[in-house]
């Protein structure tokens, strides 16, 4: 009897200790690496016995190792230890190291039966190699992963790879901003353009002007739908404190993302005017905007107080955000108030300007101030209409022509055209009845994927001024985090290929890689649009 019990015990032990069959990794990822060269030889078997080792004692290297360990645990359930390399050849290990001869954002991955080596031109480049490995492993709990022998060499096409999120029209929590930054990191993006102020709300604490948040961050109601005649008459508000903003800046920094704050000026300032009415041409009273669109009331450019105000705001902002750039907006600024304002007319006459060209005077003053404080400006392409300095960077949103024109003039340019990069537009032109936003317009995933930022006919000198590409998520009609995610995904994946990859375009192959990517979206809890996979869509009549 005892012998039978022993045999049964041994069999049960064998069953419980038997590991699952190895699942295979795939290097068909988004964005597509520049070079993926499959090698002869046996694959590497990744398991819980594998270690992550990193060279040097740099804090960034240690942090990268932890990121990789956490990613693999999240994706596969496999938990790996991390430690500094001992100097000896590492077996059954993922080795992280740097090679300063490579570009800062470049990386290489080498896989053979002995292990995996990720080499970055810097800790930043290594981070992108880590993202590649993360996206190569299959999603799902397993004990063993088989990685075929391979050599991957990769680097980005553009140095500026951005996403903008509008937090003025609707406010989003610190936790969601972090989740959004994680999504950007997954796509190798490195610039978060944070739209913090507009007519409908001022979202960043400015200690010198406390009414900007005590008054300007709150609106007493919001228009319902697409600027209907109905106002919900419910107070809406929210803002980020200095400490919260710094927390987000640090979170982004650890993921090699730079945050560029935007304070839109001299237009889109109704929230600021509600707090400090003396800054407007009429003196008010003003109210934080309820409806979407453009308001006639703007900063009074003939009032010297507004220059001190803007400089104080920009100085305080610069202390929070270490970015080289500050975005000063400059878009959609009506000139009617300036044409009627004696103070504005006096300044225009003094400098030989008109109401239509007065904004250039303002922009140049703001640029000089920021330059003196070690910053550079970015402005929407309307600032080209004034006599602005060549050092100003242009964000081209009204199509592509303004960006091409600016680049030919010697301005650095970020391409962000409405026709390809406005992600609040619908992703389908059919069945829009069931889309969460009533926003007019249609930009498909395929259209985003097919965008070419360097137009034929541009000179090589002009092309050198195209810093990169950015998509914008405006939130007039995106009222919750899930809506922001839905409108961002999977177009963000298509954009990442435009920003990162130099490979010839093949939408069919991209769709296959993107389909793999959706398993990671699901794992991380992101909401994404299913128009490319209609079989996954739920009927609006289906009872769930």
């Amino acid at each position: 009897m005892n012998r039978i019990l022993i045999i049964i015990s041994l069999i049960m032990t064998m069953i419980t200790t038997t590991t699952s069959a190895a699942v295979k990794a795939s290097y068909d990822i988004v964005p597509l690496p520049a070079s993926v060269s499959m090698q002869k030889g046996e694959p590497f078997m990744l398991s819980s016995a594998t270690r992550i080792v990193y060279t040097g004692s740099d804090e960034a290297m240690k942090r990268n190792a932890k990121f990789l360990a956490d990613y693999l645990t999240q994706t596969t359930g496999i938990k790996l230890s991390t430690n500094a390399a001992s100097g000896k050849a590492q077996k059954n290990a993922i080795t992280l190291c740097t090679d300063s001869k490579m570009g800062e954002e470049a990386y290489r991955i080498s896989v053979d039966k002995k292990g995996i080596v990720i080499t970055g031109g810097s800790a930043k480049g290594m981070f992108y190699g880590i993202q590649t490995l993360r996206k190569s492993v299959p999603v799902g709990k397993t004990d063993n992963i088989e990685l075929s022998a391979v050599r991957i060499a990769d680097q980005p096409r553009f140095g500026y790879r951005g996403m903008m999120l509008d937090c003025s029209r609707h406010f989003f929590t610190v936790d969601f901003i972090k989740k959004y930054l994680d999504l950007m990191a997954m796509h190798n993006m490195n610039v978060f353009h944070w739209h913090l102020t507009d007519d409908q709300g001022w979202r960043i604490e400015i200690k010198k002007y406390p009414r900007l948040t005590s008054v300007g961050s709150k609106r007493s109601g919001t228009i319902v739908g697409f600027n209907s005649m109905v106002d919900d008459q419910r107070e809406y508000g929210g803002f980020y404190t200095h400490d919260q903003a710094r927390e987000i800046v640090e979170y982004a920094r650890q993921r090699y993302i730079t945050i560029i704050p935007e304070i839109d000026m001299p237009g889109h300032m109704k929230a600021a005017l509600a707090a400090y009415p003396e800054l407007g041409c009429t003196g008010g009273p003003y109210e934080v905007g309820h409806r979407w669109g453009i308001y006639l009331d703007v900063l009074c450019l003939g009032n010297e107080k507004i220059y001190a105000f803007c400089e104080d705001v920009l100085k305080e902002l610069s202390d929070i955000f270490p970015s080289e750039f500050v975005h000063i907006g400059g878009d959609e600024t009506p000139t009617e108030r300036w044409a009627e304002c004696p103070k504005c007319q006096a300044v225009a006459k003094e400098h030989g300007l008109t109401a239509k060209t007065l904004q250039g005077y303002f922009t140049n003053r703001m640029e000089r101030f920021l330059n003196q404080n070690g910053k550079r400006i970015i402005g929407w392409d309307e600032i080209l209409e004034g006599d602005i300095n060549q050092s100003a960077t242009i964000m081209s949103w009204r199509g592509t022509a303004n960006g091409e024109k600016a680049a030919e003039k010697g301005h650095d340019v970020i391409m962000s055209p409405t026709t390809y990069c406005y992600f609040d537009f619908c992703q389908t032109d059919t069945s829009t009845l069931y889309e969460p936003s009533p926003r007019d317009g249609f930009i498909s995933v395929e259209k985003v994927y097919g965008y070419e930022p360097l137009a034929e006919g541009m000179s090589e000198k002009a092309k050198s001024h195209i810093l990169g590409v950015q998509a914008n998520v405006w939130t007039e009609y995106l009222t919750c985090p899930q809506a922001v995610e839905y409108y961002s995904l999977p177009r963000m994946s298509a954009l990442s290929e435009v920003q990162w990859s130099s490979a010839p375009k093949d939408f069919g192959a991209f769709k296959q890689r993107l389909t793999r990517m959706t398993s990671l979206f699901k794992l991380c809890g992101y909401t994404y649009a299913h128009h490319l996979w209609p079989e996954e869509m739920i009927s609006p009549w289906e009872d769930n």
Side-chain angles (χ1 to χ4, degrees), residues 52-344:
I52 300 174
V53 297
Y54 54 92
T55 58
S57 58
D58 185 87
E59 184 63 28
M61 299 287 284
K62 182 178 180 180
R63 186 171 59 243
N64 278 349
K66 186 177 186 310
F67 273 131
L68 178 55
D70 290 345
Y71 288 147
L72 291 175
T73 299
Q74 177 193 41
T75 305
T76 69
I78 297 175
K79 296 181 179 180
L80 304 185
S81 64
T82 66
N83 57 273
S86 62
K88 298 179 181 179
Q90 305 295 321
K91 293 183 178 180
N92 196 18
I94 303 173
T95 303
L96 308 180
C97 54
T98 58
D99 180 353
S100 60
K101 296 178 182 178
M102 300 167 60
E104 181 188 25
E105 294 190 306
Y107 70 88
R108 296 190 302 262
I109 297 178
S110 174
V111 178
D112 60 27
K113 69 176 182 179
K114 295 179 181 179
I116 302 171
V117 178
I118 302 177
T119 307
S122 66
K124 187 176 186 179
M126 183 199 305
F127 182 74
Y128 298 130
I130 286 170
Q131 294 295 337
T132 290
L133 181 60
R134 169 200 190 185
K135 289 175 282 193
S136 296
V137 300
V139 173
K141 301 303 179 183
T142 186
D143 296 319
N144 293 281
I145 300 172
E146 178 182 314
L147 292 103
S148 300
V150 73
R151 298 287 186 272
I152 297 175
D154 199 12
Q155 61 183 7
R157 182 184 184 192
F158 292 105
Y160 185 109
R161 305 181 299 280
M163 285 293 299
M164 185 280 283
L165 180 61
D166 167 23
C167 292
S168 173
R169 277 50 178 261
H170 283 96
F171 177 79
F172 298 93
T173 65
V174 170
D175 285 344
F176 177 69
I177 299 299
K178 290 179 177 179
K179 187 180 181 186
Y180 202 71
L181 291 167
D182 285 332
L183 185 59
M184 290 179 60
M186 186 190 297
H187 287 91
N188 297 7
M189 295 180 178
N190 63 354
V191 180
F192 176 49
H193 171 184
W194 201 2
H195 188 79
L196 288 165
T197 70
D198 219 296
D199 297 304
Q200 297 80 14
W202 187 286
R203 304 292 177 218
I204 184 70
E205 177 186 30
I206 302 296
K207 293 183 182 295
K208 193 166 184 176
Y209 298 94
R211 287 176 59 83
L212 287 173
T213 46
S214 66
V215 175
S217 71
K218 303 170 186 176
R219 58 179 182 259
S220 58
T222 303
I223 208 74
V224 176
F226 198 75
N227 273 349
S228 73
M229 298 296 291
V230 180
D231 190 295
D232 66 15
Q233 298 182 5
R234 291 185 294 180
E235 184 176 285
Y236 184 92
F239 67 92
Y240 306 96
T241 66
H242 279 205
D243 287 344
Q244 288 174 323
R246 288 193 172 98
E247 179 185 340
I248 291 170
V249 167
E250 175 59 17
Y251 191 87
R253 185 192 69 83
Q254 292 183 8
R255 289 149 183 80
Y256 305 94
I257 296 172
T258 298
I259 297 183
I260 296 177
E262 180 186 354
I263 303 294
D264 206 343
M265 56 177 72
H268 287 296
M269 270 279 179
K270 197 79 181 294
L273 294 178
Y276 296 97
E278 66 273 17
L279 301 178
C281 290
T282 68
Y286 305 104
E287 183 182 21
V288 178
H290 288 210
R291 63 173 176 81
W292 318 126
I294 301 171
Y295 290 83
L296 291 180
D297 289 304
V298 297
L299 293 180
C300 177
L301 300 194
N303 181 355
E304 195 62 26
K305 288 183 179 179
I306 70 107
Y307 298 97
F309 166 79
C310 290
E311 289 174 1
D312 289 340
V313 168
L314 293 173
K315 179 65 168 64
E316 206 163 309
L317 206 70
S318 297
D319 290 339
I320 300 170
F321 297 93
S323 164
E324 174 189 7
F325 289 104
V326 173
H327 203 303
I328 64 167
D331 63 315
E332 299 178 329
T333 305
T335 61
E336 284 87 344
R337 294 288 188 255
W338 299 339
E340 300 167 353
C341 174
K343 291 181 181 179
C344 291

Side-chain angles (χ1 to χ4, degrees), residues 406-464:
E408 294 290 355
K409 287 185 174 182
H411 291 277
D412 285 341
V413 173
I414 299 152
M415 300 301 286
S416 189
T418 310
T419 43
Y420 294 95
C421 297
Y422 268 45
F423 284 5
D424 55 323
F425 286 13
C426 289
Q427 302 196 53
T428 179
D429 59 352
T430 59
S431 303
T432 56
L433 177 63
Y434 305 110
E435 291 297 289
S437 164
R439 181 73 161 91
D440 193 20
F442 158 60
I443 301 175
S444 67
V445 176
E446 186 170 6
K447 185 171 184 179
V448 176
Y449 178 77
Y451 176 45
E452 173 47 59
L454 303 182
E456 291 184 17
M458 289 180 66
S459 68
E460 291 304 313
K461 183 177 180 181
K463 288 179 180 179
S464 71

Side-chain angles (χ1 to χ4, degrees), residues 30 427 445 486 489-491 493-494 507-519 521-522 527-538:
V30 175
Q427 302 196 53
V445 176
Y486 179 92
L489 295 173
R491 288 185 290 198
S493 301
F507 185 73
F510 167 73
K511 182 180 175 181
Q512 290 182 344
R513 290 183 282 112
L514 180 58
T515 300
R516 284 193 68 248
M517 188 81 161
T518 61
S519 62
F521 297 161
K522 294 171 187 174
T527 301
Y528 66 96
H530 290 223
H531 302 102
L532 289 179
W533 308 277
E535 67 278 3
E536 296 182 12
M537 298 183 73
I538 299 173

